[in-house]
Amino acid sequence: MKKQADQNKKVEKIDALKPKVLFRNPSLLEQFLKQPTIKIAEFITGLLAVGREEMILTGGRLVQGAIKGRLMIQLGREIKNLLGRGQIKEDYAETKFGFKSLEEILSFIDSEAPDEDRFNAAKAMFFALNSIDVKTSGEEMLRYHLFKITLGLTSTQIIILKISYDWVRNNETPISSASEWVRKMSESLGHGIGDLVRIDESVLVNNHLISKRIHPDDSDSGVYSKNARLTDLGMSFCGNLSKYSDEG
């Protein structure tokens, strides 16, 4: 009986919040999404614990909304800031890829609600593409391709590229075998699981960001050690990512 009474109180508490109203009242929704993440999580946890289907669906949309809303606001503020500092072209939206890239990064946020690493990388490549540093159509095209590639990478793949770039800048001892590269990368990532590195390795090779193995069918194949396996495209990617990550 006590358990049932506690459950009824929980239902009454959640019903009193009327979660569906959040979607019908923009002002209320805005206030809700401005709360600290822990408060939003506590509210969502309460919804899920009740176990009612409509509340579960509402909970998922609220989490998505909280993530997307904050990322959209952050992006908007940083673009405005860079425009004010003269670091992004004032007419960037009128350039060949400017307005298109704005639409694509907003769609990326809206459809995927990316985590911090993916969001920061996408922002950096968007800023790089629309920077006043871009002087030629060829450079603009290169940066647009890098921006597009970024949107399709996972956080771990981005981190692998960053680690490789750090190895290059720190003049680390060249790695000549695939097994050594996998082992060292898995240790740098902290999980120590080579198979996870191999999954990301194949994606990065397919995107021509790191060089392929000399003998693909040999698990201990040699690898091209120049620039820690980063290709010219990979070096350009990491250079832009490093330079523009802190622009906002």
Side-chain angles (χ1 to χ4, degrees):
M1 291 294 291
K2 185 179 184 301
K3 183 177 181 181
Q4 183 62 46
D6 290 342
Q7 182 68 15
N8 289 339
K9 286 182 179 179
K10 189 178 293 184
V11 171
E12 289 171 3
K13 183 178 180 181
I14 297 300
D15 281 343
L17 292 172
K18 300 186 187 308
K20 288 186 178 180
V21 173
L22 289 172
F23 292 99
R24 298 172 184 166
N25 187 325
S27 177
L28 187 59
L29 180 58
E30 182 180 3
Q31 292 176 31
F32 174 78
L33 295 179
K34 286 181 178 178
Q35 293 186 103
T37 303
I38 186 63
K39 294 296 184 182
I40 296 176
E42 288 174 354
F43 177 74
I44 299 302
T45 301
L47 289 180
L48 300 179
V50 173
R52 284 164 51 178
E53 182 178 358
E54 71 274 14
M55 291 187 173
I56 292 173
L57 294 174
T58 298
R61 291 195 294 270
L62 286 174
V63 170
Q64 287 279 322
I67 295 172
K68 294 176 185 178
R70 293 178 184 191
L71 296 183
M72 294 279 192
I73 291 170
Q74 183 179 342
L75 177 66
R77 287 175 177 168
E78 292 186 19
I79 292 175
K80 184 177 180 180
N81 184 35
L82 291 174
L83 284 169
R85 284 155 44 188
Q87 292 176 270
I88 284 182
K89 298 174 183 176
E90 289 187 7
D91 63 344
Y92 82 94
E94 298 177 13
T95 63
K96 183 175 182 180
F97 300 113
F99 197 69
K100 178 64 175 171
S101 62
L102 178 61
E103 182 273 327
E104 288 174 333
I105 195 170
L106 291 177
S107 295
F108 170 66
I109 293 171
D110 188 52
S111 63
E112 301 196 31
D115 60 33
E116 183 178 5
D117 289 309
R118 297 183 69 207
F119 175 61
N120 287 339
K123 273 195 311 171
M125 292 307 182
F126 175 83
F127 297 154
L129 169 60
N130 295 292
S131 169
I132 58 171
D133 296 342
V134 180
K135 305 297 185 182
T136 67
S137 59
E139 181 66 20
E140 183 182 27
M141 183 176 295
L142 168 61
R143 294 193 184 193
Y144 179 67
H145 280 298
L146 292 174
F147 169 73
K148 292 285 288 183
I149 289 172
T150 306
L151 300 185
L153 297 179
T154 66
S155 292
T156 309
Q157 290 154 11
I158 292 167
I159 293 171
I160 286 175
L161 293 172
K162 287 181 178 180
I163 291 172
S164 299
Y165 196 54
D166 285 341
W167 289 349
V168 174
R169 291 189 293 184
N170 294 332
N171 295 314
E172 299 245 354
T173 304
I175 298 172
S176 58
S177 75
S179 61
E180 182 185 4
W181 183 85
V182 168
R183 178 188 60 77
K184 187 173 180 181
M185 186 60 71
S186 68
E187 291 174 352
S188 295
L189 288 167
H191 55 60
I193 307 298
D195 287 337
L196 291 177
V197 175
R198 293 185 185 94
I199 291 171
D200 290 322
E201 176 189 13
S202 63
V203 174
L204 295 174
V205 168
N206 288 339
N207 279 286
H208 304 282
L209 294 169
I210 65 173
S211 59
K212 60 185 178 181
R213 299 182 182 208
I214 296 173
H215 304 293
D217 295 331
D218 182 357
S219 62
D220 197 27
S221 169
V223 292
Y224 297 102
S225 59
K226 179 183 177 182
N227 290 332
R229 291 188 69 181
L230 290 172
T231 62
D232 290 343
L233 186 65
M235 286 292 292
S236 183
F237 177 98
C238 292
N240 281 317
L241 185 61
S242 176
K243 180 177 181 179
Y244 294 97
S245 286
D246 298 324
E247 287 292 301

